[in-house]
Amino acid sequence: MSQPLPSANASTSLQVRHVRKSFVSGQVRSTVLHDLTLDIRAGELTLISGPSGCGKSTLLAILSGLQRADDGQVIALGQDLGVLGARALERFRLRHTGFVFQGFNLFPALNALEQVELPLSYLGLAPAEARRRAMASLEEVGLGPRTSLRPSELSGGEKQRVAIARALAKQPDLLFADEPTSALDAANGQTIIDILHRIARTHGTTVLCVSHDPRLVGHADRVLAMEDGRILSDRVPPSPSTPATGFEETP
Amino acid sequence: MVALARKTLVYEWRRFLPAILAVCFAGLLQLLQAALVLGIFGSASVYITGSSADLWAGYPGTQSVNLGRSIDAGVEMRLRMDPAVAAVEPFHWVDADWRGPNDTGGVSVFVSGINTRPDGMLFAQALPPALRARLNEPDAVIVDRADLDSLGVGIGDSAVINGHRVRVVGVSSGLRALGGVNVVASLATAATLDTDPSNANRMTYFVARLHDPGQARRVAVRLRGDRAFGNYDVWTAKSFARRSRLYWIFDTGAGAGVLFLAGIVFLVGAAITSQTLMAAVIGSVREYATLNALGVGVGALRRVVMEQAFWVGLLGLVGSAVLGAVAMAFARSRNVPVALGPWTTLACLSLCMGLAIVSGLAAMRSLHRADPATLLR
């Protein structure tokens, strides 16, 4: 890596040190991540972009504690994820992380409010508090009036907003989004990226977004371009986005 | 707490319906076969269950009421000597050969020689006092209405038992026995029909009524094993009836058949139920994986699957209980012998809940596919 080793400071929430990862398929061993080192700061929307197969999703999985690195160190919120066992990793994720996936992964049987409440109940919150937080999150993503609708009654953009509200309601320090706009049209994609950006700004959350969607580049605080398991560039886009205020969308 | 398991079950009921039906029909099958076997073989103990006696004294080791051998007539005195005993009555059992007036060939019959007094204990439920009094006529017998055809007689007709002429003076219901036709006569008539000279001064059974039926078990223990009156044993009516039924159930192989079929029903039901539950888990595997990514533990996800299995089991049980009750009522209305006690019902229904739980455990294994890393592409 050509980058100097960044020093950890108060706003650095994720530190990656010399992380390697490779997969074996049959006789072939392919390296997905080559000795990666980087820092990601809180209160920012960091975008990792690159062509498919560049290792960006693997990086996200390792940073979020869903997968383990073969080598190197990942320190999230001051905690070395490599030393945590499976149960401890689950607890870490429960307390600190939120996820938004490309597929919305909502339970067909639950309405929007219940989707958001569901993980909160495992946090040990009182039912009234869980409901209050779920309502607040849904209002924050502009779905206040549609809380009683099931996924089948929501548009794609609305489903993704429910998924964001589900992640946001936990009040996570780290929010990971994997291709959150890939399944959406331009307007809905715009809405989603604005919401993610605003979450980083207003909650001080570390938002790490992985996408090959070029529309998102202009909206991120920082863009890391990846290719072949290496980070090629680390830059601040010229025109930072201003989060939109409305949530009008075309279903 | 969001009731994920229940809400999914209600919303996606079509997906769970095969499992519920599998549990339901497994339960129904178990209930009906148990009811039929118990009903059919329950008639083996009709002599005991149709009588009001609390204690039965007979030959030691008698496995079923129809296999009785004679005991010394002095046993009656032994029973009467006990202060707990209110009344004692002899029961003369004769294995006999029936020849009717019509061409029915020889029919193997069991002649029950009973006390004909209105307060007689034997067949107290099947024979009302007026009918019972008719047995006082010489050579009078009573048979079950359903047996008239196989005996080839009608009321008032004569027939021959062991070479003696008898006359059918009436019919009743609730006298049908297993293994042969039951013919009721007075003690005097039965004695004339018994051609075995070694049975003189001996009796097949003595039955006793107690002042306090609740003491039956204790009194039976007290009365048995007194060698002064020859070989005899004393049982409570309940245990003797149970022993007779079990003898028939296992002697005929029906018991093994029931257990075998129960095993098959369990396996088939579990196969369908576990496949359905597995499909439900796999259908929601991405959502489960998302929950796991958000930190909801695998244990909590397993509980959701088990809760679904429980509700599937419960709904299936309710279904089989309702259908079972309907089928039992229909069988009774058609005189099909069915009998089902609360414990048997409970055992059948527990087997079905066990089936659902085992299926849930099998389906739980599909959760290993809910790996959140697979959601990242």
Side-chain angles (χ1 to χ4, degrees):
Chain A
M1 293 296 299
S2 55
Q3 295 165 300
L5 199 68
S7 60
N9 57 43
S11 70
T12 301
S13 51
L14 276 172
Q15 292 171 268
V16 181
R17 296 288 176 271
H18 306 292
V19 161
R20 292 171 205 272
K21 181 78 180 174
S22 52
F23 293 103
V24 179
S25 114
Q27 301 279 316
V28 185
R29 183 181 187 86
S30 51
T31 302
V32 184
L33 299 177
H34 297 272
D35 191 23
L36 220 69
T37 294
L38 78 137
D39 279 9
I40 292 167
R41 290 182 288 276
E44 280 186 359
L45 169 57
T46 306
L47 177 71
I48 302 178
S49 74
S52 48
C54 70
K56 56 190 191 305
S57 288
T58 304
L59 178 60
L60 187 77
I62 289 173
L63 289 179
S64 59
L66 295 181
Q67 269 181 12
R68 289 184 190 280
D70 292 344
D71 208 0
Q73 202 180 26
V74 176
I75 296 170
L77 307 172
Q79 172 72 57
D80 185 349
L81 295 186
V83 301
L84 295 180
R87 299 289 292 277
L89 262 180
E90 262 174 17
R91 289 182 61 78
F92 180 85
R93 293 205 302 269
L94 184 63
R95 288 205 195 123
H96 301 296
T97 66
F99 282 91
V100 179
F101 298 102
Q102 179 182 357
F104 319 117
N105 304 339
L106 301 175
F107 286 97
L110 303 184
N111 66 31
L113 184 61
E114 290 160 345
Q115 308 275 3
V116 181
E117 269 182 289
L118 183 59
L120 296 183
S121 49
Y122 292 101
L123 269 172
L125 293 181
E129 170 66 4
R131 175 143 300 199
R132 192 193 61 72
R133 271 211 215 173
M135 279 305 293
S137 294
L138 283 164
E139 271 161 23
E140 186 164 352
V141 298
L143 285 177
R146 299 177 75 74
T147 54
S148 61
L149 298 185
R150 292 208 175 90
S152 58
E153 300 161 306
L154 296 169
S155 72
E158 285 171 332
K159 281 186 231 183
Q160 193 60 299
R161 275 145 69 187
V162 173
I164 293 175
R166 173 168 68 182
L168 180 63
K170 291 172 67 197
Q171 301 177 352
D173 302 299
L174 308 170
L175 180 60
F176 298 97
D178 180 49
E179 306 281 6
T181 59
S182 295
L184 302 176
D185 60 33
N188 279 312
Q190 176 73 50
T191 310
I192 296 304
I193 200 71
D194 284 342
I195 291 172
L196 291 175
H197 200 176
R198 197 153 38 82
I199 289 169
R201 289 283 168 79
T202 56
H203 297 274
T205 308
T206 306
V207 180
L208 185 64
C209 183
V210 158
S211 183
H212 65 265
D213 187 348
R215 297 173 298 182
L216 301 187
V217 172
H219 299 274
D221 296 311
R222 179 181 174 200
V223 178
L224 300 168
M226 261 187 95
E227 207 167 316
D228 297 334
R230 293 185 177 83
I231 289 179
L232 296 184
S233 71
D234 179 355
R235 62 193 173 91
V236 174
S239 55
S241 71
T242 45
T245 49
F247 294 101
E248 290 79 25
E249 62 172 287
T250 47
Chain B
M1 195 78 179
V2 177
L4 176 63
R6 259 179 295 151
K7 290 198 181 219
T8 304
L9 200 69
V10 170
Y11 187 75
E12 299 177 32
W13 63 270
R14 282 183 189 82
R15 169 172 264 167
F16 291 95
L17 193 62
I20 295 170
L21 289 181
V23 175
C24 175
F25 283 110
L28 187 63
L29 225 59
Q30 303 283 21
L31 284 173
L32 291 188
Q33 76 155 345
L36 273 173
V37 165
L38 292 179
I40 291 168
F41 292 99
S43 55
S45 60
V46 66
Y47 308 95
I48 307 163
T49 52
S51 302
S52 59
D54 299 311
L55 292 182
W56 283 66
Y59 197 81
T62 303
Q63 296 187 69
S64 171
V65 64
N66 63 308
L67 300 174
R69 295 179 63 178
S70 58
I71 54 174
D72 194 288
V75 172
E76 179 173 9
M77 287 305 122
R78 173 69 191 91
L79 298 182
R80 286 189 191 282
M81 276 156 58
D82 194 285
V85 173
V88 179
E89 204 176 285
F91 178 31
H92 194 159
W93 174 287
V94 186
D95 278 334
D97 179 54
W98 169 285
R99 286 180 193 276
N102 299 317
D103 188 18
T104 53
V107 180
S108 172
V109 296
F110 304 141
V111 177
S112 297
I114 63 165
N115 180 351
T116 54
R117 293 216 313 266
D119 62 347
M121 290 176 256
L122 283 152
F123 297 116
Q125 279 131 45
L127 299 177
L131 193 57
R132 189 178 274 270
R134 278 195 235 163
L135 289 175
N136 285 324
E137 299 170 25
D139 302 326
V141 296
I142 292 174
V143 298
D144 194 286
R145 184 175 289 112
D147 290 330
L148 284 175
D149 280 349
S150 55
L151 294 173
V153 288
I155 298 175
D157 287 351
S158 290
V160 173
I161 295 179
N162 282 1
H164 284 81
R165 180 164 291 274
V166 295
R167 201 163 56 85
V168 178
V169 295
V171 291
S172 180
S173 58
L175 294 176
R176 293 192 85 175
L178 206 60
V181 176
N182 192 21
V183 175
V184 185
S186 68
L187 284 164
T189 306
T192 64
L193 298 178
D194 194 344
T195 52
D196 187 346
S198 67
N199 283 346
N201 287 324
R202 292 173 77 82
M203 192 52 68
T204 326
Y205 297 102
F206 287 101
V207 301
R209 178 164 42 228
L210 301 182
H211 292 293
D212 176 10
Q215 300 286 315
R217 189 179 300 211
R218 198 174 307 166
V219 178
V221 169
R222 188 162 70 208
L223 285 171
R224 72 170 48 133
D226 192 338
R227 296 280 165 188
F229 298 92
N231 268 343
Y232 76 97
D233 202 352
V234 180
W235 315 281
T236 63
K238 205 173 152 187
S239 72
F240 193 36
R242 184 162 176 276
R243 182 156 14 152
S244 298
R245 275 198 304 271
L246 289 179
Y247 172 79
W248 276 94
I249 287 175
F250 289 103
D251 184 61
T252 57
V258 166
L259 293 179
F260 180 72
L261 203 58
I264 298 281
V265 165
F266 188 92
L267 281 181
V268 173
I272 298 173
T273 309
S274 62
Q275 286 298 316
T276 309
L277 288 174
M278 254 180 232
V281 170
I282 289 169
S284 294
V285 78
R286 297 181 66 80
E287 287 76 31
Y288 285 129
T290 304
L291 282 187
N292 188 237
L294 291 170
V296 177
V298 177
L301 300 180
R302 285 187 179 145
R303 272 199 294 282
V304 173
V305 176
M306 287 314 288
E307 196 190 326
Q308 276 171 352
F310 171 78
W311 288 116
V312 163
L314 197 70
L315 289 172
L317 285 196
V318 170
S320 49
V322 170
L323 288 180
V326 170
M328 292 279 284
F330 181 74
R332 290 219 169 93
S333 75
R334 293 274 177 274
N335 284 321
V336 177
V338 282
L340 206 56
W343 290 109
T344 316
T345 312
L346 202 66
C348 291
L349 297 184
S350 313
L351 198 72
C352 289
M353 187 47 104
L355 185 162
I357 297 301
V358 165
S359 304
L361 290 173
M364 223 162 69
R365 292 175 54 240
S366 308
L367 273 179
H368 70 81
R369 299 194 194 191
D371 176 11
T374 60
L375 296 175
L376 300 171
R377 281 167 299 163

